[in-house]
Amino acid sequence: MPLQRNEFLPQDLVTVYTSPSGLIDTRTGYAYVMGGLIVGGYFDLTEQEAQNYGRNQLHAGRYRFVQIDSGATASNIVQGSIGLMKAIASGATAYSGGVNIITSYDKGLNAAVRPVVFLAAVTAAQVTAGAWVFVQELGDASVLSKSGGVTNATPAVGDIINSVASGFVDDLATPGSIIPTTIGVALSAPSHTASALFRCLLENVPIIQG
Amino acid sequence: MGAPLYDPQYNDVEVATREAIRKNVISECFFVDTPLQDILRRYGVVEDFLGGSGMVEAYNYARLQGMAVTPGQTITVTRNQIASAAKFYEKAYAVFVQIEDFELDVINRAGDTQIIDQRALLEANLVSQMNTMLEMDGYRHGQPSAANGGSSGVSDDRSKSSNGFFEGFSNGVDPSPDGNVFTLTGGVTRNGATGQAYNSTPYYCGQSNGNAGPITYPVLTNVVAQLLTLNAKAKVGITSPFGWAALVNMLRAIARVDQQSIKEGTDFGWPSIDFFGVKMYADPLCPSGKTWNYLPGGNTAAFGTAAPNTNFVDGSGNTTKLLAYTSPTYTSSGTPVAAGTASPTGSNFPSATTIQPSETLFLFDPEAIKLRPTAEKSWFFATKIKEIPDNVSAANMFQRLATNLYVYNPRHGLIVSGFTA
């Protein structure tokens, strides 16, 4: 899908949609395949635009409309957790299903390959029924530190942030080293004592077309 | 993807009877009227912008010499500069939407199944949003912030917006209702070589602790007198609906004393009050300390975060909501005055105090204001559709307007603030 702005955002960037266009025929339950969102459509937003379309909780960056993998673990899909592009992270070369199916971090895939940041929680029922959401793949993202807070006792802005089990993130050291699962650098200091959202500038995330 | 809601999908009633559809009717539940522009147009402030690097407005700011003389005496005759000019720039506005012609032309095709022309609905919304932005910008300013190369005293960057009343009606010392102090307008330095000629001194109805106060009959007569002193015959007042309520309440309370000066009713179709010939109108988009409670998207504390684009913003992304700010520390003959002391300018602003701007009233002679839309039709509410080259059905629709609203004779108007109903 080319870089473009979606022509119509039925609700906002945090909404969990039940159709790949965001529009449902209330009679048949089928998706309207027109006029709405397009799976794989991605676009860059300024800080003001992201705030406006993201309930004042999103920041400047690139956002992509994707489908949640029907086998994903819903409990690991929450605001700020990390997901993976299934087709790439599984090592497939045929891009089975395309790059725009995102699964949860716990599926034993290569966690170093093509992470994205979830913007909202989905329920198990939503995953089963089919869920389409926006994820963030570049820019200033809010990520969620691991249970109990990050390892680093003195976390600071600029620390290297890595993804860890279940799709949460950790700050190992100040400033830390870039490793394959590095997702970026901290823009706000993470908490050492509790799992909490903090802002992270996504780096080392390659662009992928599809 | 959801399954059909019912099986069988349609019941007997639905098969036999359709909904009663009101074709081509849609209730406006978002936008509000824009009386400022309408009133200004009716007073004839529109002057087409025919092109040029900017709009120059000449003004006289000084006198030549004169005195009583003794017949036969000699005089050293000199000449000082008496005139200069302000220069304002044409500003550019755009409203836009992405359209998809499968949806608009195939699904929403004109005919029996079309309830509302969706394309017309989008275009009407673009016009309303354009007018809303212009209306809201008309009150504020169009200068860069001090941090972005603007003059000191300006905290927010609105350089793309119309120049507006806040910067026009200022004396370079007292704050506007948004807390800015405009030492410049149209490139003219206030209180410099031009002296005080390009000033407009506001009036603050609040108390010495910065809390709002009432707008009283003497306040109104005094601000009209202030304008009369500068040869200005105020004809128009614009205030928020709650400012209008404050005026009505005050005038009604004293009606037994001077009833003949009160006229409530409509002029040009807008609620107004007539005060000695000054017609004061209510504008829902006038800056206010209260209307944000009721305008859609304004009160997020009570109603939650507004969904995208369900709130009112002007061309620079600001709302009509006025917030408290700190007044400058005034000086008298170069010496700072104590906090809370009334401004030496006569504005009644307390020095170095947290100010509640509350409601605002803009009194002016329309001849001091110009609205300058371009004469070029492609930038005068014209719709332009730009196809997306690699997209089968989507295109971007833009509607553009080049214009500016500015004050070119600041002393023929002033801003009253700090009052509540």
Side-chain angles (χ1 to χ4, degrees):
Chain A
M1 190 59 58
L3 176 63
Q4 66 160 51
R5 291 178 188 264
N6 287 287
E7 67 270 20
F8 179 49
L9 194 57
Q11 294 182 56
D12 60 36
L13 292 172
V14 185
T15 302
V16 177
Y17 294 95
T18 55
S19 131
S21 67
L23 305 177
I24 291 281
D25 185 326
T26 55
R27 173 57 58 186
T28 66
Y30 293 139
Y32 277 121
V33 189
M34 56 145 196
L37 298 162
I38 297 171
V39 174
Y42 61 95
F43 44 83
D44 294 339
L45 296 182
T46 64
E47 176 70 10
Q48 184 178 357
E49 290 168 339
Q51 287 276 297
N52 186 31
Y53 290 115
R55 305 184 192 177
N56 297 314
Q57 65 191 42
L58 303 182
H59 301 283
R62 175 167 294 179
Y63 296 85
R64 180 187 287 258
F65 190 60
V66 298
Q67 181 177 3
I68 299 291
D69 175 29
S70 60
T73 304
S75 59
N76 288 332
I77 300 176
V78 296
Q79 183 187 1
S81 67
I82 305 299
L84 300 171
M85 283 185 170
K86 185 178 178 183
I88 305 176
S90 63
T93 55
Y95 291 94
S96 176
V99 301
N100 296 306
I101 295 179
I102 307 298
T103 196
S104 54
Y105 196 89
D106 56 275
K107 294 299 172 183
L109 306 181
N110 189 335
V113 178
R114 204 51 180 86
V116 298
V117 179
F118 290 115
L119 308 180
V122 299
T123 65
Q126 287 174 316
V127 171
T128 302
W132 288 261
V133 298
F134 281 94
V135 293
Q136 187 169 358
E137 54 184 7
L138 285 176
D140 176 353
S142 293
V143 292
L144 186 61
S145 59
K146 68 185 182 70
S147 176
V150 298
T151 303
N152 188 351
T154 57
V157 172
D159 285 0
I160 298 296
I161 304 300
N162 309 311
S163 61
V164 295
S166 298
F168 303 108
V169 301
D170 196 11
D171 175 0
L172 296 173
T174 300
S177 302
I178 294 177
I179 59 176
T181 51
T182 294
I183 61 163
V185 295
L187 287 177
S188 62
S191 169
H192 172 58
T193 57
S195 176
L197 290 167
F198 66 96
R199 289 165 69 174
C200 175
L201 186 62
L202 300 179
E203 294 184 351
N204 308 312
V205 180
I207 303 299
I208 183 72
Q209 289 73 32
Chain B
M1 198 172 299
L5 296 173
Y6 302 102
D7 182 19
Q9 194 159 262
Y10 290 83
N11 63 37
D12 288 352
V13 172
E14 291 162 339
V15 168
T17 313
R18 68 163 173 77
E19 294 161 311
I21 296 168
R22 195 181 299 276
K23 287 192 66 148
N24 298 317
V25 174
I26 185 167
S27 296
E28 179 59 81
C29 290
F30 180 74
F31 286 110
V32 295
D33 286 332
T34 52
L36 172 66
Q37 294 170 86
D38 181 48
I39 290 162
L40 290 178
R41 289 189 188 105
R42 288 169 188 268
Y43 276 102
V45 308
V46 175
E47 182 180 326
D48 284 353
F49 175 61
L50 302 176
S53 66
M55 295 161 281
V56 173
E57 302 287 353
Y59 64 95
N60 172 62
Y61 65 85
R63 60 175 173 78
L64 297 174
Q65 297 163 293
M67 60 183 177
V69 296
T70 302
Q73 80 174 75
T74 60
I75 296 172
T76 301
V77 177
T78 59
R79 176 183 163 196
N80 55 289
Q81 185 173 339
I82 59 169
S84 185
K87 183 175 181 180
F88 300 92
Y89 300 95
E90 189 79 337
K91 303 296 178 89
Y93 288 87
V95 287
F96 35 85
V97 63
Q98 201 169 79
I99 58 174
E100 203 274 295
D101 63 14
F102 183 85
E103 177 188 7
L104 298 186
D105 297 340
V106 177
I107 303 300
N108 188 241
R109 188 164 182 265
D112 185 54
T113 58
Q114 184 188 73
I115 301 173
I116 293 169
D117 183 338
Q118 201 168 351
R119 191 183 296 268
L121 187 65
L122 294 173
E123 290 175 347
N125 194 291
L126 291 179
V127 172
S128 294
Q129 174 58 15
M130 180 75 85
N131 278 324
T132 297
M133 290 193 300
L134 297 175
E135 184 90 354
M136 294 169 72
D137 276 1
Y139 291 101
R140 297 204 174 231
H141 75 90
Q143 299 190 11
S145 64
N148 290 344
S151 57
S152 62
V154 180
S155 62
D156 57 335
D157 195 311
R158 297 179 53 87
S159 50
K160 297 176 186 175
S161 287
S162 293
N163 289 96
F165 293 163
F166 279 5
E167 75 165 270
F169 297 130
S170 170
N171 60 8
V173 174
D174 290 307
S176 61
D178 61 355
N180 288 317
V181 177
F182 297 100
T183 56
L184 293 170
T185 186
V188 177
T189 300
R190 291 188 159 113
N191 309 311
T194 292
Q196 300 163 30
Y198 224 62
N199 285 359
S200 164
T201 293
Y203 188 81
Y204 183 64
C205 297
Q207 307 164 45
S208 60
N209 63 6
N211 289 337
I215 189 165
T216 63
Y217 199 89
V219 165
L220 279 187
T221 52
N222 274 278
V223 292
V224 170
Q226 184 179 324
L227 291 171
L228 284 173
T229 305
L230 294 169
N231 217 36
K233 300 168 186 65
K235 295 173 185 167
V236 177
I238 305 277
T239 184
S240 74
F242 290 99
W244 174 85
L247 291 166
V248 170
N249 291 345
M250 179 270 289
L251 293 172
R252 271 294 179 212
I254 61 172
R256 62 188 181 276
V257 178
D258 191 6
Q259 190 168 10
Q260 64 189 6
S261 68
I262 298 172
K263 177 189 172 192
E264 294 167 41
T266 56
D267 287 285
F268 304 157
W270 309 110
S272 69
I273 299 164
D274 193 325
F275 182 80
F276 290 114
V278 185
K279 291 186 172 59
M280 292 184 270
Y281 303 90
D283 181 353
L285 296 178
C286 179
S288 163
K290 198 169 183 178
T291 52
W292 58 270
N293 282 298
Y294 310 102
L295 283 173
N299 190 348
T300 56
F303 303 115
T305 302
N309 299 335
T310 56
N311 59 349
F312 282 79
V313 292
D314 62 25
S316 294
N318 297 121
T319 70
T320 62
K321 184 179 182 179
L322 291 176
L323 300 170
Y325 60 87
T326 303
S327 60
T329 297
Y330 294 110
T331 59
S332 178
S333 300
T335 303
V337 303
T341 302
S343 170
T345 63
S347 67
N348 197 42
F349 277 101
S351 180
T353 301
T354 300
I355 300 292
Q356 299 294 340
S358 299
E359 303 309 316
T360 53
L361 168 65
F362 300 79
L363 283 180
F364 54 85
D365 182 341
E367 292 179 8
I369 292 163
K370 280 191 178 173
L371 190 56
R372 303 294 302 270
T374 179
E376 167 54 42
K377 62 183 179 183
S378 65
W379 272 83
F380 186 76
F381 287 99
T383 297
K384 191 167 211 169
I385 293 177
K386 295 175 184 284
E387 302 287 349
I388 299 173
D390 59 356
N391 194 299
V392 294
S393 57
N396 292 327
M397 182 159 68
F398 291 89
Q399 192 175 90
R400 306 174 301 176
L401 177 68
T403 190
N404 198 350
L405 186 157
Y406 58 84
V407 176
Y408 71 101
N409 192 343
R411 72 179 195 165
H412 282 188
L414 59 78
I415 302 172
V416 182
S417 65
F419 63 93
T420 57

